[in-house]
Tab-separated table of all heavy atoms in Angstrom:
chain	number	residue	atom	x	y	z
A	1	LEU	N	1.691	12.568	11.201
A	1	LEU	CA	0.949	13.006	10.032
A	1	LEU	C	-0.431	12.365	9.980
A	1	LEU	O	-0.570	11.179	10.188
A	1	LEU	CB	1.757	12.620	8.777
A	1	LEU	CG	3.149	13.229	8.657
A	1	LEU	CD1	3.872	12.696	7.458
A	1	LEU	CD2	3.079	14.762	8.560
A	2	GLN	N	-1.388	13.161	9.626
A	2	GLN	CA	-2.779	12.711	9.502
A	2	GLN	C	-3.406	13.276	8.225
A	2	GLN	O	-3.673	14.496	8.162
A	2	GLN	CB	-3.631	13.054	10.727
A	2	GLN	CG	-3.166	12.477	12.037
A	2	GLN	CD	-3.327	10.943	12.058
A	2	GLN	OE1	-4.231	10.424	11.444
A	2	GLN	NE2	-2.452	10.271	12.787
A	3	HIS	N	-3.574	12.448	7.221
A	3	HIS	CA	-4.182	12.925	6.008
A	3	HIS	C	-4.754	11.732	5.239
A	3	HIS	O	-4.198	10.635	5.276
A	3	HIS	CB	-3.188	13.642	5.106
A	3	HIS	CG	-3.797	14.356	3.929
A	3	HIS	ND1	-4.029	13.764	2.747
A	3	HIS	CD2	-4.202	15.655	3.787
A	3	HIS	CE1	-4.577	14.632	1.876
A	3	HIS	NE2	-4.681	15.783	2.510
A	4	ARG	N	-5.867	11.912	4.555
A	4	ARG	CA	-6.532	10.812	3.942
A	4	ARG	C	-5.735	10.183	2.801
A	4	ARG	O	-5.974	9.008	2.375
A	4	ARG	CB	-7.891	11.242	3.383
A	4	ARG	CG	-7.836	12.306	2.336
A	4	ARG	CD	-9.193	12.733	1.855
A	4	ARG	NE	-9.954	11.627	1.294
A	4	ARG	CZ	-11.206	11.689	0.827
A	4	ARG	NH1	-11.849	12.834	0.964
A	4	ARG	NH2	-11.784	10.685	0.294
A	5	ASN	N	-4.744	10.877	2.302
A	5	ASN	CA	-3.904	10.373	1.212
A	5	ASN	C	-2.438	10.015	1.663
A	5	ASN	O	-1.549	9.926	0.854
A	5	ASN	CB	-3.809	11.387	0.025
A	5	ASN	CG	-5.159	11.593	-0.632
A	5	ASN	OD1	-5.725	12.668	-0.620
A	5	ASN	ND2	-5.705	10.524	-1.224
A	6	LEU	N	-2.296	9.815	2.969
A	6	LEU	CA	-1.073	9.272	3.522
A	6	LEU	C	-1.396	8.034	4.262
A	6	LEU	O	-2.405	7.934	4.996
A	6	LEU	CB	-0.426	10.275	4.478
A	6	LEU	CG	-0.076	11.679	3.952
A	6	LEU	CD1	0.585	12.510	5.060
A	6	LEU	CD2	0.824	11.590	2.722
A	7	VAL	N	-0.562	6.973	4.094
A	7	VAL	CA	-0.868	5.698	4.801
A	7	VAL	C	-0.781	5.899	6.284
A	7	VAL	O	0.007	6.687	6.789
A	7	VAL	CB	0.198	4.637	4.307
A	7	VAL	CG1	1.575	4.960	4.848
A	7	VAL	CG2	-0.220	3.240	4.695
A	8	ARG	N	-1.655	5.204	7.005
A	8	ARG	CA	-1.758	5.394	8.447
A	8	ARG	C	-0.973	4.362	9.196
A	8	ARG	O	-1.125	3.171	8.988
A	8	ARG	CB	-3.226	5.368	8.910
A	8	ARG	CG	-3.464	5.761	10.351
A	8	ARG	CD	-4.872	6.212	10.533
A	8	ARG	NE	-5.829	5.092	10.303
A	8	ARG	CZ	-6.326	4.370	11.304
A	8	ARG	NH1	-5.989	4.593	12.534
A	8	ARG	NH2	-7.186	3.396	11.033
A	9	LEU	N	-0.071	4.840	10.075
A	9	LEU	CA	0.702	3.922	10.893
A	9	LEU	C	-0.058	3.583	12.181
A	9	LEU	O	-0.476	4.448	12.904
A	9	LEU	CB	2.065	4.604	11.256
A	9	LEU	CG	3.046	3.770	12.043
A	9	LEU	CD1	3.587	2.625	11.200
A	9	LEU	CD2	4.248	4.647	12.494
A	10	LEU	N	-0.214	2.279	12.411
A	10	LEU	CA	-0.957	1.818	13.570
A	10	LEU	C	-0.090	1.543	14.771
A	10	LEU	O	-0.566	1.615	15.932
A	10	LEU	CB	-1.755	0.539	13.245
A	10	LEU	CG	-2.748	0.620	12.067
A	10	LEU	CD1	-3.407	-0.675	11.824
A	10	LEU	CD2	-3.772	1.709	12.326
A	11	GLY	N	1.190	1.287	14.578
A	11	GLY	CA	2.085	1.010	15.627
A	11	GLY	C	3.407	0.423	15.155
A	11	GLY	O	3.660	0.394	13.962
A	12	CYS	N	4.255	0.014	16.097
A	12	CYS	CA	5.526	-0.585	15.718
A	12	CYS	C	5.946	-1.630	16.703
A	12	CYS	O	5.298	-1.809	17.749
A	12	CYS	CB	6.596	0.525	15.642
A	12	CYS	SG	6.979	1.306	17.229
A	13	CYS	N	6.974	-2.357	16.364
A	13	CYS	CA	7.478	-3.450	17.221
A	13	CYS	C	9.016	-3.420	17.184
A	13	CYS	O	9.596	-3.435	16.116
A	13	CYS	CB	6.958	-4.800	16.756
A	13	CYS	SG	7.676	-6.189	17.657
A	14	ILE	N	9.630	-3.289	18.362
A	14	ILE	CA	11.056	-3.319	18.486
A	14	ILE	C	11.377	-4.355	19.573
A	14	ILE	O	11.213	-4.055	20.758
A	14	ILE	CB	11.662	-1.967	18.862
A	14	ILE	CG1	11.186	-0.881	17.911
A	14	ILE	CG2	13.216	-2.016	18.884
A	14	ILE	CD1	11.621	0.496	18.300
A	15	GLN	N	11.706	-5.542	19.176
A	15	GLN	CA	11.870	-6.630	20.122
A	15	GLN	C	12.900	-7.634	19.576
A	15	GLN	O	12.933	-7.965	18.387
A	15	GLN	CB	10.553	-7.372	20.367
A	15	GLN	CG	10.519	-8.262	21.589
A	15	GLN	CD	9.110	-8.766	21.884
A	15	GLN	OE1	8.125	-8.146	21.469
A	15	GLN	NE2	9.005	-9.835	22.589
A	16	ARG	N	13.828	-8.042	20.449
A	16	ARG	CA	14.943	-8.899	20.035
A	16	ARG	C	15.729	-8.122	18.921
A	16	ARG	O	16.079	-7.013	19.074
A	16	ARG	CB	14.463	-10.245	19.596
A	16	ARG	CG	13.715	-11.036	20.653
A	16	ARG	CD	13.237	-12.372	20.079
A	16	ARG	NE	12.319	-13.074	20.956
A	16	ARG	CZ	11.595	-14.090	20.619
A	16	ARG	NH1	11.743	-14.633	19.391
A	16	ARG	NH2	10.755	-14.650	21.480
A	17	ASP	N	15.924	-8.809	17.807
A	17	ASP	CA	16.564	-8.161	16.639
A	17	ASP	C	15.584	-7.690	15.613
A	17	ASP	O	15.966	-7.262	14.518
A	17	ASP	CB	17.538	-9.161	16.006
A	17	ASP	CG	18.657	-9.581	16.885
A	17	ASP	OD1	19.084	-8.730	17.733
A	17	ASP	OD2	19.147	-10.702	16.798
A	18	GLU	N	14.324	-7.665	15.987
A	18	GLU	CA	13.287	-7.313	15.037
A	18	GLU	C	12.904	-5.845	15.106
A	18	GLU	O	12.821	-5.252	16.188
A	18	GLU	CB	11.978	-8.157	15.308
A	18	GLU	CG	12.139	-9.637	15.089
A	18	GLU	CD	12.063	-10.041	13.654
A	18	GLU	OE1	11.973	-9.150	12.798
A	18	GLU	OE2	12.172	-11.264	13.375
A	19	LYS	N	12.695	-5.240	13.957
A	19	LYS	CA	12.210	-3.874	13.849
A	19	LYS	C	11.042	-3.962	12.812
A	19	LYS	O	11.255	-4.253	11.640
A	19	LYS	CB	13.262	-2.932	13.366
A	19	LYS	CG	14.419	-2.771	14.337
A	19	LYS	CD	15.305	-1.571	13.970
A	19	LYS	CE	15.997	-1.798	12.623
A	19	LYS	NZ	17.033	-2.864	12.671
A	20	MET	N	9.798	-3.668	13.264
A	20	MET	CA	8.648	-3.775	12.377
A	20	MET	C	7.739	-2.564	12.528
A	20	MET	O	7.613	-1.988	13.596
A	20	MET	CB	7.872	-5.071	12.735
A	20	MET	CG	8.597	-6.308	12.235
A	20	MET	SD	7.661	-7.803	12.614
A	20	MET	CE	8.136	-8.048	14.357
A	21	LEU	N	7.101	-2.231	11.389
A	21	LEU	CA	6.103	-1.181	11.402
A	21	LEU	C	4.759	-1.804	11.011
A	21	LEU	O	4.685	-2.664	10.137
A	21	LEU	CB	6.482	-0.071	10.336
A	21	LEU	CG	7.789	0.655	10.612
A	21	LEU	CD1	8.168	1.519	9.439
A	21	LEU	CD2	7.596	1.569	11.861
A	22	VAL	N	3.692	-1.379	11.682
A	22	VAL	CA	2.382	-1.920	11.435
A	22	VAL	C	1.511	-0.844	10.851
A	22	VAL	O	1.237	0.197	11.451
A	22	VAL	CB	1.744	-2.471	12.752
A	22	VAL	CG1	0.359	-3.055	12.464
A	22	VAL	CG2	2.660	-3.471	13.388
A	23	TYR	N	1.028	-1.080	9.585
A	23	TYR	CA	0.201	-0.121	8.879
A	23	TYR	C	-1.223	-0.670	8.743
A	23	TYR	O	-1.483	-1.851	8.889
A	23	TYR	CB	0.755	0.120	7.487
A	23	TYR	CG	2.098	0.749	7.438
A	23	TYR	CD1	3.232	-0.053	7.221
A	23	TYR	CD2	2.295	2.117	7.542
A	23	TYR	CE1	4.510	0.514	7.148
A	23	TYR	CE2	3.558	2.662	7.442
A	23	TYR	CZ	4.662	1.872	7.262
A	23	TYR	OH	5.918	2.435	7.155
A	24	GLU	N	-2.111	0.250	8.345
A	24	GLU	CA	-3.463	-0.152	7.932
A	24	GLU	C	-3.277	-0.923	6.604
A	24	GLU	O	-2.407	-0.656	5.781
A	24	GLU	CB	-4.392	1.012	7.733
A	24	GLU	CG	-3.899	2.048	6.708
A	24	GLU	CD	-4.843	3.217	6.532
A	24	GLU	OE1	-6.057	3.028	6.764
A	24	GLU	OE2	-4.382	4.286	6.166
A	25	PHE	N	-4.097	-1.936	6.414
A	25	PHE	CA	-3.982	-2.775	5.251
A	25	PHE	C	-4.601	-2.152	4.000
A	25	PHE	O	-5.702	-1.604	4.085
A	25	PHE	CB	-4.646	-4.156	5.518
A	25	PHE	CG	-4.683	-5.077	4.320
A	25	PHE	CD1	-3.517	-5.579	3.815
A	25	PHE	CD2	-5.899	-5.441	3.772
A	25	PHE	CE1	-3.512	-6.446	2.745
A	25	PHE	CE2	-5.916	-6.294	2.656
A	25	PHE	CZ	-4.743	-6.794	2.167
A	26	MET	N	-3.914	-2.179	2.913
A	26	MET	CA	-4.407	-1.662	1.656
A	26	MET	C	-4.701	-2.826	0.723
A	26	MET	O	-3.737	-3.444	0.153
A	26	MET	CB	-3.382	-0.712	1.001
A	26	MET	CG	-3.111	0.549	1.798
A	26	MET	SD	-4.492	1.683	1.698
A	26	MET	CE	-4.227	2.693	3.092
A	27	PRO	N	-5.972	-3.189	0.512
A	27	PRO	CA	-6.311	-4.408	-0.259
A	27	PRO	C	-5.888	-4.357	-1.709
A	27	PRO	O	-5.764	-5.406	-2.331
A	27	PRO	CB	-7.839	-4.494	-0.083
A	27	PRO	CG	-8.288	-3.121	0.227
A	27	PRO	CD	-7.154	-2.496	1.026
A	28	ASN	N	-5.730	-3.153	-2.308
A	28	ASN	CA	-5.412	-3.116	-3.743
A	28	ASN	C	-3.907	-2.928	-4.031
A	28	ASN	O	-3.533	-2.506	-5.107
A	28	ASN	CB	-6.198	-2.018	-4.412
A	28	ASN	CG	-7.618	-2.457	-4.685
A	28	ASN	OD1	-7.909	-3.540	-5.159
A	28	ASN	ND2	-8.612	-1.615	-4.314
A	29	LYS	N	-3.103	-3.248	-3.015
A	29	LYS	CA	-1.673	-3.203	-3.159
A	29	LYS	C	-1.147	-1.861	-3.569
A	29	LYS	O	-1.717	-0.820	-3.198
A	29	LYS	CB	-1.210	-4.331	-4.122
A	29	LYS	CG	-1.631	-5.717	-3.642
A	29	LYS	CD	-1.091	-6.802	-4.563
A	29	LYS	CE	-1.446	-8.178	-4.062
A	29	LYS	NZ	-0.945	-9.247	-4.910
A	30	SER	N	-0.084	-1.840	-4.370
A	30	SER	CA	0.509	-0.558	-4.766
A	30	SER	C	0.187	-0.210	-6.221
A	30	SER	O	-0.275	-1.009	-6.999
A	30	SER	CB	2.021	-0.582	-4.573
A	30	SER	OG	2.597	-1.670	-5.310
A	31	LEU	N	0.405	1.077	-6.524
A	31	LEU	CA	0.018	1.591	-7.829
A	31	LEU	C	0.745	0.855	-8.974
A	31	LEU	O	0.174	0.640	-10.034
A	31	LEU	CB	0.334	3.099	-7.865
A	31	LEU	CG	0.009	3.843	-9.126
A	31	LEU	CD1	-1.503	3.760	-9.470
A	31	LEU	CD2	0.382	5.312	-8.986
A	32	ASP	N	2.016	0.477	-8.769
A	32	ASP	CA	2.737	-0.172	-9.817
A	32	ASP	C	2.162	-1.521	-10.190
A	32	ASP	O	2.355	-2.043	-11.279
A	32	ASP	CB	4.240	-0.313	-9.476
A	32	ASP	CG	4.431	-1.118	-8.212
A	32	ASP	OD1	3.566	-1.173	-7.328
A	32	ASP	OD2	5.506	-1.792	-8.096
A	33	PHE	N	1.457	-2.119	-9.253
A	33	PHE	CA	0.748	-3.433	-9.468
A	33	PHE	C	-0.253	-3.296	-10.600
A	33	PHE	O	-0.485	-4.259	-11.356
A	33	PHE	CB	0.056	-3.864	-8.162
A	33	PHE	CG	-0.675	-5.185	-8.265
A	33	PHE	CD1	0.048	-6.374	-8.345
A	33	PHE	CD2	-2.025	-5.217	-8.320
A	33	PHE	CE1	-0.632	-7.599	-8.441
A	33	PHE	CE2	-2.730	-6.421	-8.384
A	33	PHE	CZ	-2.021	-7.598	-8.452
A	34	PHE	N	-0.818	-2.101	-10.803
A	34	PHE	CA	-1.843	-1.885	-11.822
A	34	PHE	C	-1.286	-1.246	-13.091
A	34	PHE	O	-1.506	-1.743	-14.203
A	34	PHE	CB	-2.945	-0.970	-11.286
A	34	PHE	CG	-3.950	-1.692	-10.358
A	34	PHE	CD1	-3.674	-1.719	-8.998
A	34	PHE	CD2	-5.050	-2.287	-10.879
A	34	PHE	CE1	-4.582	-2.384	-8.146
A	34	PHE	CE2	-5.942	-2.954	-10.043
A	34	PHE	CZ	-5.717	-3.000	-8.677
A	35	ILE	N	-0.538	-0.144	-12.921
A	35	ILE	CA	-0.215	0.621	-14.140
A	35	ILE	C	0.854	-0.038	-14.994
A	35	ILE	O	0.944	0.296	-16.189
A	35	ILE	CB	0.215	2.071	-13.749
A	35	ILE	CG1	1.478	2.075	-12.925
A	35	ILE	CG2	-0.914	2.801	-13.073
A	35	ILE	CD1	2.026	3.487	-12.647
A	36	PHE	N	1.676	-0.949	-14.480
A	36	PHE	CA	2.673	-1.574	-15.298
A	36	PHE	C	2.304	-2.987	-15.735
A	36	PHE	O	3.132	-3.785	-16.144
A	36	PHE	CB	3.981	-1.626	-14.530
A	36	PHE	CG	4.528	-0.266	-14.170
A	36	PHE	CD1	5.147	-0.069	-12.923
A	36	PHE	CD2	4.401	0.794	-15.034
A	36	PHE	CE1	5.626	1.200	-12.609
A	36	PHE	CE2	4.858	2.048	-14.695
A	36	PHE	CZ	5.478	2.265	-13.475
A	37	ASP	N	1.003	-3.296	-15.641
A	37	ASP	CA	0.529	-4.619	-16.109
A	37	ASP	C	-0.511	-4.400	-17.223
A	37	ASP	O	-1.477	-3.684	-16.986
A	37	ASP	CB	-0.102	-5.394	-14.930
A	37	ASP	CG	-0.537	-6.808	-15.300
A	37	ASP	OD1	-1.695	-6.949	-15.820
A	37	ASP	OD2	0.261	-7.741	-15.122
A	38	GLU	N	-0.324	-5.053	-18.335
A	38	GLU	CA	-1.156	-4.807	-19.495
A	38	GLU	C	-2.635	-5.125	-19.246
A	38	GLU	O	-3.547	-4.548	-19.824
A	38	GLU	CB	-0.675	-5.600	-20.705
A	38	GLU	CG	0.668	-5.127	-21.242
A	38	GLU	CD	1.091	-5.914	-22.437
A	38	GLU	OE1	0.336	-6.822	-22.861
A	38	GLU	OE2	2.171	-5.626	-22.989
A	39	MET	N	-2.912	-6.118	-18.395
A	39	MET	CA	-4.288	-6.537	-18.120
A	39	MET	C	-4.901	-5.677	-17.005
A	39	MET	O	-5.990	-5.142	-17.098
A	39	MET	CB	-4.309	-8.003	-17.749
A	39	MET	CG	-3.899	-8.958	-18.792
A	39	MET	SD	-4.867	-8.732	-20.333
A	39	MET	CE	-6.486	-9.278	-19.736
A	40	ARG	N	-4.144	-5.506	-15.892
A	40	ARG	CA	-4.733	-4.808	-14.748
A	40	ARG	C	-4.909	-3.302	-14.970
A	40	ARG	O	-5.809	-2.680	-14.382
A	40	ARG	CB	-3.873	-5.049	-13.483
A	40	ARG	CG	-3.987	-6.427	-12.915
A	40	ARG	CD	-3.290	-6.551	-11.534
A	40	ARG	NE	-1.825	-6.564	-11.730
A	40	ARG	CZ	-1.109	-7.701	-11.763
A	40	ARG	NH1	-1.722	-8.879	-11.654
A	40	ARG	NH2	0.198	-7.663	-11.867
A	41	ILE	N	-4.144	-2.759	-15.899
A	41	ILE	CA	-4.273	-1.328	-16.160
A	41	ILE	C	-5.613	-0.965	-16.778
A	41	ILE	O	-6.106	0.146	-16.722
A	41	ILE	CB	-3.129	-0.767	-17.046
A	41	ILE	CG1	-3.062	0.748	-16.947
A	41	ILE	CG2	-3.275	-1.256	-18.471
A	41	ILE	CD1	-1.872	1.350	-17.624
A	42	LYS	N	-6.230	-2.005	-17.375
A	42	LYS	CA	-7.567	-1.767	-17.979
A	42	LYS	C	-8.626	-1.462	-16.918
A	42	LYS	O	-9.685	-0.901	-17.257
A	42	LYS	CB	-7.975	-3.029	-18.777
A	42	LYS	CG	-7.072	-3.329	-19.988
A	42	LYS	CD	-7.456	-4.593	-20.714
A	42	LYS	CE	-6.541	-4.847	-21.871
A	42	LYS	NZ	-6.871	-6.114	-22.575
A	43	PHE	N	-8.360	-1.781	-15.673
A	43	PHE	CA	-9.312	-1.468	-14.621
A	43	PHE	C	-9.242	-0.018	-14.236
A	43	PHE	O	-10.113	0.487	-13.523
A	43	PHE	CB	-9.046	-2.326	-13.365
A	43	PHE	CG	-9.332	-3.819	-13.560
A	43	PHE	CD1	-8.316	-4.722	-13.799
A	43	PHE	CD2	-10.656	-4.255	-13.485
A	43	PHE	CE1	-8.618	-6.054	-13.958
A	43	PHE	CE2	-10.939	-5.623	-13.640
A	43	PHE	CZ	-9.943	-6.480	-13.895
A	44	LEU	N	-8.219	0.671	-14.662
A	44	LEU	CA	-8.039	2.084	-14.389
A	44	LEU	C	-8.450	2.910	-15.600
A	44	LEU	O	-7.666	3.160	-16.464
A	44	LEU	CB	-6.584	2.388	-14.000
A	44	LEU	CG	-5.987	1.720	-12.788
A	44	LEU	CD1	-4.589	2.153	-12.547
A	44	LEU	CD2	-6.869	1.991	-11.543
A	45	ASP	N	-9.731	3.276	-15.608
A	45	ASP	CA	-10.157	4.191	-16.702
A	45	ASP	C	-9.616	5.586	-16.426
A	45	ASP	O	-8.943	5.835	-15.406
A	45	ASP	CB	-11.674	4.194	-16.846
A	45	ASP	CG	-12.377	4.588	-15.556
A	45	ASP	OD1	-11.797	5.335	-14.745
A	45	ASP	OD2	-13.524	4.158	-15.347
A	46	TRP	N	-9.889	6.536	-17.318
A	46	TRP	CA	-9.309	7.886	-17.186
A	46	TRP	C	-9.771	8.603	-15.936
A	46	TRP	O	-9.084	9.353	-15.289
A	46	TRP	CB	-9.542	8.702	-18.421
A	46	TRP	CG	-8.781	8.175	-19.598
A	46	TRP	CD1	-9.346	7.639	-20.726
A	46	TRP	CD2	-7.371	8.065	-19.749
A	46	TRP	NE1	-8.327	7.213	-21.543
A	46	TRP	CE2	-7.096	7.491	-20.989
A	46	TRP	CE3	-6.313	8.449	-18.929
A	46	TRP	CZ2	-5.831	7.268	-21.457
A	46	TRP	CZ3	-5.021	8.216	-19.386
A	46	TRP	CH2	-4.762	7.624	-20.648
């Protein structure tokens, strides 16, 4: 999948008992971090 509104997968790691996915970093975390916090939601105007 390639779209500007889908997170981009950079690679993966399967070694020993580990299973990991490597994504591009999103500095502003997830949406729930903002909309469910009384202070941070103020940064989201209409």
Side-chain angles (χ1 to χ4, degrees):
L1 300 175
Q2 297 293 329
H3 190 273
R4 63 182 299 177
N5 294 117
L6 302 181
V7 70
R8 189 158 64 97
L9 183 67
L10 303 179
C12 64
C13 174
I14 307 173
Q15 196 171 338
R16 300 178 191 171
D17 295 328
E18 296 281 2
K19 297 191 296 290
M20 288 180 278
L21 296 169
V22 181
Y23 297 99
E24 59 180 332
F25 176 66
M26 294 288 161
N28 282 315
K29 301 184 178 181
S30 55
L31 182 58
D32 61 332
F33 180 74
F34 282 90
I35 62 174
F36 299 142
D37 184 274
E38 292 183 0
M39 296 303 295
R40 286 190 286 265
I41 196 172
K42 294 178 182 178
F43 292 100
L44 298 181
D45 56 28
W46 292 116

